[in-house]
Amino acid sequence: NSISVYPNPTKGLITIQSTFTEPKPYFVYSIIGELVLEGKIWSDRALIDLSDFNQEIYILKIGDQTIKLVKTN
C-alpha cells in the first residue's frame, strides 16, 4: 500500500492519501515514544489535525509504514 502525507512540515492539518481498501488504524507518537493521538483512516483520503500540538517532531505509524511529521507554529 502506498501512503502520501502532506504538508510536511505542517502548522496543523495534514492530509493522508493512501491506496487502502479497508479501514486502517493510525498512531501518532511524540519523539520520545509517547502515544499522543490515534484513530482510523476510513477512506483513501483522511485529515489529521495537529493544530493543538507543540512544535516538535512526531512519528506517524500506519500499518507497517512509519512517517516522520514535523509540526511548526
Side-chain angles (χ1 to χ4, degrees):
N1 287 325
S2 172
I3 297 175
S4 176
V5 177
Y6 58 89
N8 191 13
T10 183
K11 291 185 177 192
L13 284 177
I14 60 168
T15 300
I16 300 172
Q17 281 195 269
S18 68
T19 56
F20 298 138
T21 56
E22 58 187 49
K24 285 276 191 188
Y26 69 84
F27 304 93
V28 179
Y29 296 91
S30 69
I31 196 68
I32 60 170
E34 177 185 2
L35 180 64
V36 295
L37 184 66
E38 63 183 305
K40 277 200 174 172
I41 297 171
W42 293 95
S43 65
D44 61 351
R45 186 174 175 162
L47 294 175
I48 296 177
D49 189 359
L50 301 178
S51 298
D52 293 334
F53 287 69
N54 292 330
Q55 181 174 329
E56 191 175 319
I57 294 173
Y58 295 92
I59 305 299
L60 172 65
K61 291 192 176 187
I62 304 172
D64 62 354
Q65 298 192 43
T66 302
I67 300 161
K68 181 174 78 170
L69 301 174
V70 178
K71 168 66 170 63
T72 61
N73 287 336

